[in-house]
Amino acid sequence: MEEKKIRVLIAKPGLDGHDRGAKIIARALRDAGMEVIYTGLRQTPEMVVQAALQEDVDVIGLSVLSGAHMSLVPRILDLAKQAKLEDVRIFLGGIIPAEDAKALIKLGVKAVYGPGTSTTQVVEDIQTLFEKA
Amino acid sequence: MPELVQAILQGDRRALARSITLVENDTAQGQQTLDALFPKTGKAHVVGITGASGAGKSSLVNCLVDILIQQDPKLQVAVIAVDPTSPFSGGSVLGDRIRMRAIAENPNVFIRSMASRGALGGLAHNTQAVSLVLDAAGYDFILVETVGAGQSEVEIASLAHSVLVVEAPGLGDDIQAAKAGIMEIADILVLNKADKADVDAAEMALRSMLAMGYPSTKTDGSVWVPPILRTVATDGKGVAEVVNAIQAHAEFLHSTGTWQQRDQTRLRAFLHGLLERKRNQEWQQFIQKEEFKQVLKKIYIHELSPYAAVEQLQSISFLKNSH
């Protein structure tokens, strides 16, 4: 019997060592019935995109708290395009100033979540994306 | 030949990942892809890695693959890492990649995480099918890491050519080692975390267990006696010896003609599994029916025993011939 699950890669690119937020999101998505591939800390953009490709995920969730989002995220978007992962939706969470968020959304990031975002909102946003499809 | 199949055979990793999803999800397209790929399968050596959760399976896989690739840079190695699915939400957190940093970026390595999706034997229902897709794609070694296994998750024995059971000090005494189940399926016993205090006692327990299983060890090479190898997977200590043992076991299987036997066991188990699931689906459809509900009612009021109910249901042509 056919069974489709939403697959999400949760990755922490860059050098900050705080993965509590990423783990909370991973757990919330699990509890919503999704399959979450968790890659752990200190991922290079290349590792993130390779993992997304091999795992054939529908969504990449990035967590960046280091302030390096303006160099890491465009690089990941670029590599994803090169790997022909255009249909993979990229979400970003962390400490992202509003103007950076605007710029990254322009570059192709689907949504940016700041501190205080409820896990329910993230879950619903992802579910809505795939209900339409 | 469908486009997807052609792309896989040409080494397109995106196409490979896509088709694994199709197979994993039990789609018709996935089945057709596997049908087309099946004649190309039968070359890969499948290595199963099982053991309790926290014994160090993922770290060991990371080291094993790293050494295999260093020894032969032309080698293509795939990893299927299975983690459990929540029985409540149906979701899962697949975290085996965390430990596989050393190999994550190697272009000759393909790592795929799989959720068990309700299967209980330590693998997912479609792990075997996914391994066949990777086999057809040209991977020489396929390492299959099971969910953290307790005592009876032994399904890996009917999927792998070589089975590694990973133990760690402090997990149990010699009676645990003497029990039936997971210890019996080992071709290679890996005693990981060998830098821990209780390692000598743990090795002794494993040795006494082996000595009972292989009382008159023949030295003419006609019997494979599982070696016990100490490792510290987090810093790579002893892992080269495990790679040697896997290669020695593969050679043993080929030189004694048992490789083919194992391969046939694998394929037979695959066929059995498919038939069982098909029958199970038919059964799921049947329990929606009125006859079934009637019989159930009689059981609820303790009028009809469940055994007698099975007889009665069979006569309504359910189990005997569902077509």
Side-chain angles (χ1 to χ4, degrees):
Chain A
M1 259 178 281
E2 230 181 283
E3 188 188 25
K4 163 80 187 144
K5 293 269 169 85
I6 299 173
R7 285 171 72 85
V8 184
L9 181 82
I10 296 290
K12 275 201 63 75
L15 293 175
D16 75 88
H18 299 277
D19 60 352
R20 189 151 179 87
K23 281 176 176 159
I24 287 171
I25 290 292
R27 175 63 196 263
L29 299 179
R30 183 201 91 171
D31 290 342
M34 301 180 199
E35 292 184 350
V36 183
I37 296 100
Y38 187 70
T39 61
L41 296 168
R42 297 185 192 90
Q43 301 281 305
T44 64
E46 286 78 6
M47 282 165 97
V48 174
V49 172
Q50 266 308 308
L53 183 146
Q54 293 171 19
E55 301 287 356
D56 192 26
V57 293
D58 306 295
V59 174
I60 301 175
L62 300 169
S63 161
V64 186
L65 299 167
S66 63
H69 49 269
M70 288 314 278
S71 59
L72 289 168
V73 178
R75 174 92 181 120
I76 289 170
L77 288 166
D78 210 34
L79 287 169
K81 207 172 282 172
Q82 281 173 35
K84 299 200 180 82
L85 300 180
E86 289 100 340
D87 54 341
V88 179
R89 274 73 158 214
I90 299 180
F91 289 76
L92 174 64
I95 318 280
I96 317 290
E99 50 194 286
D100 290 355
K102 225 181 270 170
L104 290 171
I105 285 173
K106 218 173 194 178
L107 283 176
V109 172
K110 201 84 196 162
V112 179
Y113 300 107
T117 309
S118 81
T119 54
T120 332
Q121 193 196 331
V122 181
V123 167
E124 274 170 12
D125 287 355
I126 293 178
Q127 278 169 341
T128 320
L129 271 181
F130 291 94
E131 269 158 23
K132 270 185 277 170
Chain B
M1 205 184 289
E3 221 174 288
L4 196 60
V5 174
Q6 227 155 7
I8 293 167
L9 296 175
Q10 281 160 6
D12 181 336
R13 288 156 75 87
R14 177 85 169 125
L16 176 60
R18 268 283 146 85
S19 57
I20 289 176
T21 305
L22 293 170
V23 167
E24 184 179 25
N25 289 348
D26 271 330
T27 64
Q29 203 192 343
Q31 284 168 21
Q32 286 152 13
T33 307
L34 193 53
D35 286 346
L37 289 172
F38 191 71
K40 304 276 179 195
T41 61
K43 288 180 221 107
H45 191 80
V46 181
V47 181
I49 292 103
T50 190
S53 51
K57 295 184 293 299
S58 303
S59 303
L60 185 71
V61 167
N62 183 44
C63 276
L64 284 173
V65 175
D66 197 27
I67 293 173
L68 277 167
I69 296 287
Q70 277 175 29
Q71 282 182 357
D72 182 357
K74 272 182 289 180
L75 213 58
Q76 304 238 74
V77 184
V79 176
I80 305 173
V82 189
D83 266 333
T85 292
S86 158
F88 304 109
S89 72
S92 34
V93 172
L94 311 171
D96 290 323
R97 287 189 92 98
I98 298 172
R99 320 260 174 247
M100 300 185 190
R101 292 187 75 86
I103 57 175
E105 281 182 84
N106 193 308
N108 288 350
V109 178
F110 192 96
I111 307 170
R112 181 66 179 235
S113 313
M114 264 187 110
S116 66
R117 296 194 181 177
L120 296 174
L123 300 169
H125 288 305
N126 287 329
T127 304
Q128 169 93 302
V130 169
S131 80
L132 287 169
V133 175
L134 291 162
D135 182 352
Y139 286 87
D140 304 286
F141 279 92
I142 301 168
L143 277 64
V144 180
E145 180 186 333
T146 73
V147 306
Q151 295 175 314
S152 60
E153 288 92 340
V154 292
E155 213 164 82
I156 189 68
S158 49
L159 190 149
H161 298 105
S162 303
V163 177
L164 271 63
V165 174
V166 185
E167 287 284 319
L171 291 181
D173 60 10
D174 54 341
I175 291 300
Q176 297 306 332
K179 284 184 185 171
I182 199 163
M183 301 298 290
E184 288 179 280
I185 62 169
D187 297 304
I188 296 162
L189 277 160
V190 178
L191 185 51
N192 192 37
K193 305 191 183 181
D195 52 347
K196 288 245 157 87
D198 294 335
V199 66
D200 290 329
E203 184 170 335
M204 191 98 94
L206 293 177
R207 284 222 178 278
S208 66
M209 183 273 304
L210 271 188
M212 281 187 269
Y214 302 83
S216 58
T217 302
K218 288 186 195 163
T219 45
D220 61 358
S222 65
V223 175
W224 174 266
V225 181
I228 300 172
L229 301 167
R230 289 189 183 193
T231 58
V232 182
T234 44
D235 64 14
K237 215 171 277 168
V239 182
E241 284 75 13
V242 180
V243 170
N244 291 342
I246 293 170
Q247 281 157 346
H249 186 246
E251 264 164 48
F252 169 83
L253 291 177
H254 282 293
S255 68
T256 53
T258 36
W259 199 87
Q260 223 144 9
Q261 263 177 35
R262 291 239 178 169
D263 212 49
Q264 288 173 5
T265 306
R266 274 160 39 83
L267 295 169
R268 195 168 52 235
F270 190 28
L271 182 62
H272 281 185
L274 284 180
L275 286 170
E276 242 169 66
R277 279 166 64 207
K278 197 160 191 304
R279 178 47 68 82
N280 198 24
Q281 282 166 18
E282 287 165 0
W283 182 77
Q284 298 283 355
Q285 284 161 6
F286 185 86
I287 59 174
Q288 312 294 333
K289 288 194 177 149
E290 204 45 46
E291 295 98 313
F292 187 84
K293 287 174 187 158
Q294 291 299 329
V295 166
L296 205 53
K297 263 186 205 155
K298 285 188 202 161
I299 298 176
Y300 287 164
I301 55 166
H302 296 256
E303 181 188 303
L304 185 71
S305 95
Y307 288 109
V310 171
E311 293 292 322
Q312 201 172 319
L313 288 169
Q314 275 182 326
S315 66
I316 325 173
S317 90
F318 145 56
L319 290 168
K320 251 176 203 157
N321 39 50
S322 33
H323 295 290

